Amino acid sequence: EDNAWEILVVDDDKSVHSVTELVLDGYRYKERPLKILNAYSAAEAEEILQKNQNIAMTFLDVVMESDTAGLDLVHFIRNKLGNHNIRIVLRTGQPGVAPENEIITAYDIDDYKDKTELTNTKLKTTVHNAIKSYENIITLEDNANTLQKYKNMFNSATDFIFIVDKEHKIVEANNAFLEAIGKEHDQIINQPVFDVFYDALYHKEIAKNINRSIAGENINYESEMNFENLGRRFVDVEFFPYQDDGKSL
């Protein structure tokens, strides 16, 4: 299915692949099935990972072509590919070769299992936790990208835009506004609005209109304002209440 969670099983033992597929047959996470990809060496896994950046998790054998083939693949995933989303679960049938405490400390992995530990139930639990973690990471990444997109739109706007809180302190301002008033971003953030506009204008119209907007009104009017880099200008002024995702004003 197109919306399947992709899992990469990397092991040079074909029976491990067979057992994993058997145990996970029919398993679904949030109504989405699994799609299991198979690699029988670290080199083969590298090819698959280079072509597919949407794999949710991998079960990764430690000892394959060499005693450190699996660990070298972890390094390849995190540092060469720069893929920090995929969840990595190391599996080994030779725990003495790669001691758990040392591996978890030294490598960016999510779990470390002796192959004998992964019974039917534990295998499904491991998959559940790994995909859940992957889903959370993707959601956070998507949210960050969306936020950056809106921030770029905010800063590319030619209108002068600034956001104030209930205490009349500026919490954000776009580039056009900063350029007009001749200030740097850090100079006005968390500063009172009256520090930006001269006192008479602030007390005559700005303060009361901020309060009306906080109370829920949309306000629009024309005004004459003095800007540091532009001089006196007639401008259309609009105040409106804004709520963040947490519904705070």
Side-chain angles (χ1 to χ4, degrees):
E1 295 183 38
D2 292 338
N3 68 339
W5 303 102
E6 294 186 304
I7 294 177
L8 175 62
V9 179
V10 187
D11 204 297
D12 58 0
D13 185 343
K14 291 184 178 181
S15 67
V16 171
H17 292 264
S18 299
V19 170
T20 302
E21 291 179 2
L22 180 65
V23 171
L24 297 177
D25 184 42
Y27 179 85
R28 303 176 78 89
Y29 177 80
K30 292 192 174 178
E31 303 304 318
R32 291 169 60 181
L34 303 182
K35 179 181 180 181
I36 297 179
L37 309 175
N38 302 100
Y40 298 92
S41 67
E44 190 177 351
E46 285 187 10
E47 291 184 19
I48 293 172
L49 288 159
Q50 285 177 318
K51 296 175 183 177
N52 189 344
Q53 292 284 306
N54 297 315
I55 298 171
M57 71 168 294
T58 178
F59 282 113
L60 177 55
D61 190 14
V62 175
V63 180
M64 291 179 286
E65 300 100 308
S66 68
D67 287 350
T68 61
L71 300 179
D72 294 340
L73 184 57
V74 173
H75 177 79
F76 174 82
I77 292 169
R78 298 304 193 206
N79 300 312
K80 295 287 184 64
L81 291 182
N83 186 340
H84 297 280
N85 295 343
I86 185 174
R87 303 296 84 200
I88 300 175
V89 178
L90 286 182
R91 293 199 291 191
T92 182
Q94 305 174 54
V97 174
E100 179 176 353
N101 290 339
E102 295 179 18
I103 297 304
I104 289 179
T105 301
Y107 291 84
D108 181 11
I109 64 172
D110 299 274
D111 209 345
Y112 184 100
K113 297 290 187 183
D114 188 320
K115 290 181 182 179
T116 59
E117 289 183 79
L118 288 173
T119 60
N120 187 316
T121 301
K122 287 186 177 180
L123 186 62
K124 290 179 179 177
T125 300
T126 300
V127 169
H128 175 92
N129 291 337
I131 295 179
K132 181 179 180 181
S133 176
Y134 173 81
E135 180 186 38
N136 289 338
I137 289 170
I138 294 300
T139 298
L140 289 173
E141 190 176 75
D142 288 345
N143 289 343
N145 291 338
T146 299
L147 180 63
Q148 186 60 49
K149 180 179 73 173
Y150 285 123
K151 193 168 185 177
N152 291 341
M153 292 171 59
F154 178 75
N155 279 321
S156 63
T158 55
D159 292 335
F160 306 155
I161 306 172
F162 62 95
I163 302 172
V164 301
D165 62 17
K166 293 179 180 179
E167 283 71 46
H168 293 204
K169 290 183 179 180
I170 297 175
V171 296
E172 193 53 88
N174 75 339
N175 292 337
F177 180 71
L178 293 171
E179 185 176 341
I181 64 173
K183 299 284 187 182
E184 296 293 328
H185 186 267
D186 291 344
Q187 290 179 291
I188 69 167
I189 298 304
N190 294 322
Q191 298 303 310
V193 175
F194 64 75
D195 281 358
V196 176
F197 297 96
Y198 54 90
D199 284 351
L201 178 64
Y202 173 78
H203 290 293
K204 177 183 177 183
E205 61 182 65
I206 293 179
K208 69 178 181 181
N209 286 322
I210 290 175
N211 288 333
R212 287 174 60 194
S213 182
I214 289 172
E217 290 187 58
N218 285 356
I219 300 152
N220 188 275
Y221 62 95
E222 290 187 350
S223 180
E224 185 180 13
M225 296 185 178
N226 187 47
F227 297 96
E228 181 71 23
N229 285 343
L230 300 177
R232 299 191 69 80
R233 293 288 181 92
F234 285 98
V235 293
D236 289 321
V237 182
E238 183 176 8
F239 289 95
F240 59 89
Y242 164 78
Q243 289 182 322
D244 61 22
D245 291 338
K247 303 305 180 184
S248 296
L249 192 65

